[in-house]
Amino acid sequence: MKFDQPAGTNPIDRMKVVGKPTTRIDGPLKVTGHAPYAYEHQELPGAPDSGPAYGYVVGSAVAKGTIRSMDTSRAERAPGVVAVVTHRNAGKIAKGNFNTAMLLGGPKIQHYHQAIAVVVAETFEQARSAAALIDVDYARDGGAFDLAVAKVDAPDATGSDAPTAVGDFAGAFAAAPVQLDQMYTTPDQSHAMMEPHATIAAWEGDKLTVWSANQMVAWGAGDLARTLQIPPENVRLIAPYIGGGFGGKLFLRSDVLMASLGAKAAKRPVKVALPRPFMGNNTTHRPATIQRIRLGATQDGKLTAIGHESWSGDLEGGGPESATQQTKLLYAGANRMTALRLAVLDLPEANAMRAPGEAPGLMALEIAVDELAEKLGMDPVKLRVINDTQVDPEKPERPFSQRNLVRCLEEGAERFGWARRKAPGQVQDGRWLIGMGVAAAFRNNLNMKSGARVRLSPSGQVTVETDMTDIGTGTYTIMAQTAAEMMGVPLAKVTVKLGDSSFPVSAGSGGQWGANSSTAGLYAACVKLREAIVGKLGFGPGEAVFENGQVHVGNRVADIAAAAKGGEIVVEDSIEFGDLGKKFQQSTFGAHFVEVAVDRYTGETRVRRMLAVCAAGRILNPTAARSQVIGAMTMGVGGALMEELAVDKRFGFFVNHDLAGYEVPVHADIPHQEVVFLDEADDKVSPMKAKGVGELGLCGVGAAVANAIYNATGVRVRDYPITLDKHLDKLGEVV
């Protein structure tokens, strides 16, 4: 199905199932431990009675250099060891399309903890013990590990990330009556998901099956075939349940490759889970940024000049953190410029992390807007409202498909009691300084081609098959709701099967595109199934209505199961998006409000309450959507107050590379959270009239916390995370 015209009235609009708060249909399996995650599958082809073997990955002890020699003899003789695989005996290995570095290093080393070997043994303990017996001699090279130093010579990014310019920014900024020119920094951050990167691999002849934690099944299967240089049809990737990803499982990682190589060498299935310390250095992370923001405005608050430059780093061949993305679209202003600059750093690979670009970009931009409001003596909400735009500021001929940012800000201000906000440092509660902060939320809506297969059995059961994944987002449930709505059956009559590369290729889970795109693909398949049912029943022309397990055409009615009495009906289709995304700017909007308390003596910050108001098209399942937003808000608190991968700038690695040293929010850090969804449906994005929401909930949160801290203390911190040491020595000046 081609979606190239705004959606008219369709069966989803009935919203008898879609749009209703619905608990997760996979919930009972998860809470009882019956949902198999990547490391937990039991029935494996070729496994002996003793079960699969276990692989333990060895990571490089240097960040950049060459392996001069590697002695694996002691490991090979260790108890229980079945095989040891290194670059010397792995065969020819290529680099996949979605990787920046080789997943198996040697002799060249590109980053710290790059995988250089996997030891396969009968037990995990034997594999881990033997891995410690491998002796490696390195020739260490000097590397670039400091973004602030590398920033000086960093060139402009190219391609779609190249600088943009509209009007005369330099002239307008110089002439602006009110100016702001500030630098902001955000640190390297880790995904820190609960489930580690894990894979079970099994070969049957030249056919490889992997059970892996992977958000994008088609991408993963394709890249594994490229890496191993085998035909794509010889690889099957299965990922029915994923314990969190946040972008860290978008692409093939070393656990998949090392399990596959280990299984081939051992001639039996092999399980590999990367140890938690590998999460920081062996996998990917959100890169640090240094951002300069310049804003020029008239005395009445109208923006006349908007400039945003951002520096980030990655391995050679990598890409920048697109921190200027939202600045191109969020506020009106005739004269604008953005620039991304990419430094080559020899740190582990930088890549997507939840809301890449907008999340760190808004952490800077939305502080800058608050600082401008202060210079103007204007309420921060009002400043944002008067600079709203209903068209793409860089392409005024291109309107937004739907934009309700002002409603989000004004409704949020009313609900939060924003009118009670006082001047900085003026509200105290005992030893606590109290403040409120606001930030706009913005995340682009992305559409991806997505397919599905739908089956109707003689018993009237509807089965959905697609390689779409559920990373804790509620995909099983919204897919079941979509099929139930389209086919007019209760949820109990729908079975959803996900995460298998033998199923039709879907959008996958990433970039906030998963829910809308995958349900739209299922919508297309259900349209075809509806047509097949009407045809099988011999009903003539007329509008078909599917409800209560029946199909009605005019005065004719029949059970849908009757159409399959001669055998199961199977159809397949996909949604392909036309040019509406070019004609209309498709984005999601929101507003975050935060109240904090800062201890005047210790500098400790406590978040007291949070509110998010979101405008993201039709909400397919309010229960799941709220869960996504409060999870994102929690992640935003972490980014604002505690999360930072600390770089050892001498040796080029992240020091705090596990959950013992990488701080994330816990229950005690998170207070009352309220989420409000505006009632809207965007007919220009898909037949579902929905957009993404899971990443929108993160965008702007960090800045709202930072602005609240400033309102509480009168001390402005522009370097995240805002730990107490960054303002403690200044608190005495304002209390």
Side-chain angles (χ1 to χ4, degrees):
M1 173 185 288
K2 189 73 172 286
F3 183 75
D4 53 9
Q5 296 293 327
T9 302
N10 64 42
I12 298 297
D13 293 330
R14 298 184 308 172
M15 295 184 69
K16 293 185 176 181
V17 188
V18 168
K20 302 300 181 187
T22 307
T23 56
R24 298 185 184 187
I25 61 175
D26 53 316
L29 291 175
K30 290 181 175 178
V31 299
T32 59
H34 288 86
Y37 289 83
Y39 204 69
E40 300 171 341
H41 292 271
Q42 302 296 322
E43 298 180 8
L44 306 173
D49 293 340
S50 58
Y54 293 80
Y56 193 87
V57 176
V58 179
S60 169
V62 302
K64 186 176 183 182
T66 305
I67 296 175
R68 285 193 288 224
S69 66
M70 181 186 297
D71 185 356
T72 61
S73 60
R74 288 198 300 156
E76 291 163 354
R77 295 194 302 268
V81 170
V82 178
V84 178
V85 181
T86 72
H87 70 278
R88 299 179 303 185
N89 62 349
K92 192 173 182 182
I93 302 297
K95 186 173 73 67
N97 290 346
F98 296 101
N99 300 129
T100 304
M102 293 287 290
L103 295 180
L104 173 60
K108 180 182 178 182
I109 297 299
Q110 296 168 278
H111 63 84
Y112 183 79
H113 264 174
Q114 185 174 21
I116 60 171
V118 61
V119 177
V120 180
E122 295 291 344
T123 69
F124 170 80
E125 292 78 10
Q126 289 173 331
R128 180 178 60 183
S129 177
L133 300 177
I134 295 178
D135 293 320
V136 186
D137 180 36
Y138 300 94
R140 189 196 303 269
D141 294 338
F145 309 125
D146 190 334
L147 177 60
V149 173
K151 163 184 178 289
V152 177
D153 299 317
D156 288 336
T158 57
S160 60
D161 294 315
T164 65
V166 175
D168 176 13
F169 166 76
F173 182 74
V178 183
Q179 300 174 347
L180 176 87
D181 185 349
Q182 288 290 355
M183 302 292 291
Y184 307 85
T185 68
T186 64
D188 298 285
Q189 294 176 339
S190 175
H191 302 87
M193 72 290 286
M194 289 181 66
E195 180 196 26
H197 292 74
T199 298
I200 302 174
W203 292 84
E204 292 180 281
D206 59 357
K207 305 286 187 181
L208 171 63
T209 300
V210 293
W211 294 261
S212 186
N214 191 290
Q215 297 174 225
M216 304 290 292
V217 168
W219 291 5
D223 249 17
L224 183 55
R226 290 185 199 97
T227 303
L228 294 172
Q229 299 187 63
I230 61 178
E233 59 271 20
N234 286 5
V235 175
R236 182 182 180 191
L237 194 156
I238 302 172
Y241 298 98
I242 300 170
F246 308 124
K249 296 173 181 172
L250 281 173
F251 316 117
L252 194 72
R253 303 312 313 160
S254 65
D255 58 298
V256 191
L257 176 62
M258 303 311 274
S260 301
L261 294 173
K264 190 169 187 178
K267 297 181 172 55
R268 58 190 282 193
V270 168
K271 304 174 74 167
V272 169
L274 295 183
R276 183 62 65 175
F278 274 47
M279 296 296 101
N281 291 294
N282 178 271
T283 67
T284 61
H285 69 283
R286 191 199 301 281
T289 68
I290 299 172
Q291 302 179 51
R292 181 188 185 190
I293 296 179
R294 286 175 284 175
L295 301 176
T298 60
Q299 293 289 358
D300 61 359
K302 289 285 188 179
L303 287 167
T304 58
I306 303 174
H308 191 168
E309 300 163 89
S310 178
W311 291 260
S312 60
D314 200 358
L315 292 167
E316 187 173 358
E321 178 72 35
S322 53
T324 61
Q325 177 63 40
Q326 72 293 319
T327 308
K328 300 175 184 179
L329 294 161
L330 188 51
Y331 297 117
N335 304 285
R336 330 170 58 87
M337 65 82 71
T338 67
L340 297 174
R341 299 189 176 97
L342 178 62
V344 174
L345 295 179
D346 298 302
L347 294 172
E349 180 180 343
N351 217 310
M353 181 169 157
R354 194 177 197 173
E358 284 99 332
L362 282 163
M363 290 173 80
L365 176 65
E366 287 299 285
I367 291 183
V369 171
D370 256 45
E371 294 199 68
L372 180 65
E374 185 175 37
K375 281 177 172 282
L376 290 161
M378 182 178 290
D379 181 87
V381 171
K382 181 180 178 181
L383 177 61
R384 290 170 170 86
V385 168
I386 66 174
N387 285 289
D388 185 47
T389 173
Q390 293 298 308
V391 298
D392 179 343
E394 293 191 357
K395 302 172 184 175
E397 71 281 1
R398 185 168 172 247
F400 283 89
S401 62
Q402 195 171 60
R403 179 180 167 118
N404 284 310
L405 174 60
V406 170
R407 280 185 60 196
C408 292
L409 288 163
E410 293 181 341
E411 184 167 334
E414 177 68 25
R415 286 176 174 267
F416 200 70
W418 184 254
R420 298 194 301 271
R421 177 178 175 269
K422 303 296 184 183
Q426 298 302 305
V427 181
Q428 298 187 34
D429 180 5
R431 64 187 293 160
W432 298 96
L433 305 172
I434 311 302
M436 294 184 190
V438 65
F442 174 95
R443 174 71 173 160
N444 266 331
N445 180 70
L446 303 173
N447 293 326
M448 298 275 282
K449 179 181 178 180
S450 193
R453 183 183 301 128
V454 190
R455 302 174 182 271
L456 176 66
S457 74
S459 67
Q461 190 74 19
V462 176
T463 300
V464 176
E465 296 173 344
T466 172
D467 79 356
M468 181 62 187
T469 50
D470 191 323
I471 58 174
T473 45
T475 305
Y476 279 100
T477 308
I478 60 171
M479 297 295 270
Q481 289 176 273
T482 302
E485 191 79 78
M486 290 295 294
M487 304 314 302
V489 299
L491 281 173
K493 296 292 284 185
V494 179
T495 300
V496 178
K497 297 181 179 181
L498 301 178
D500 190 324
S501 62
S502 67
F503 295 158
V505 176
S506 73
S509 296
Q512 197 173 265
W513 62 61
N516 178 44
S517 298
S518 64
T519 53
L522 176 56
Y523 170 96
C526 286
V527 167
K528 186 172 283 189
L529 179 59
R530 287 161 62 105
E531 293 170 351
I533 289 171
V534 171
K536 287 279 189 179
L537 293 172
F539 288 176
E543 182 179 354
V545 176
F546 286 70
E547 60 184 1
N548 300 322
Q550 296 179 319
V551 57
H552 302 255
V553 179
N555 59 1
R556 293 154 293 178
V557 61
D559 292 338
I560 65 169
K565 64 182 180 181
E568 183 181 50
I569 302 174
V570 183
V571 301
E572 184 177 327
D573 203 356
S574 62
I575 192 83
E576 295 186 57
F577 296 92
D579 292 334
L580 286 177
K582 297 178 181 178
K583 296 176 182 177
F584 299 93
Q585 174 57 43
Q586 300 179 8
S587 304
T588 61
F589 299 90
H592 289 288
F593 293 83
V594 173
E595 180 180 288
V596 304
V598 180
D599 190 307
R600 61 187 295 180
Y601 299 110
T602 69
E604 175 192 6
T605 297
R606 287 285 183 182
V607 177
R608 287 194 165 187
R609 58 192 179 102
M610 306 178 74
L611 166 67
V613 182
C614 302
R618 173 175 285 155
I619 302 300
L620 302 176
N621 181 347
T623 299
R626 177 184 181 276
S627 177
Q628 282 296 290
V629 173
I630 65 172
M633 293 162 73
T634 301
M635 203 170 191
V637 171
L641 298 180
M642 60 195 73
E643 293 192 41
E644 176 181 14
L645 283 169
V647 181
D648 186 316
K649 296 175 183 177
R650 303 163 302 164
F651 300 113
F653 68 98
F654 299 124
V655 181
N656 55 334
H657 47 204
D658 57 30
L659 291 179
Y662 184 82
E663 301 285 346
V664 295
V666 296
H667 289 308
D669 297 311
I670 304 303
H672 175 73
Q673 295 171 310
E674 184 181 358
V675 180
V676 175
F677 297 113
L678 298 189
D679 184 13
E680 61 176 34
D682 194 332
D683 65 353
K684 298 174 184 65
V685 296
S686 83
M688 303 299 294
K689 304 177 185 176
K691 291 183 278 198
V693 75
E695 299 187 348
L696 179 70
L698 169 60
C699 296
V701 176
V705 174
N707 291 334
I709 291 173
Y710 174 74
N711 183 242
T713 65
V715 180
R716 178 66 73 182
V717 180
R718 301 182 181 90
D719 301 306
Y720 292 97
I722 305 175
T723 48
L724 57 87
D725 57 293
K726 293 177 181 174
H727 61 194
L728 179 58
D729 62 335
K730 301 179 183 66
L731 294 184
E733 301 172 9
V734 296
V735 297

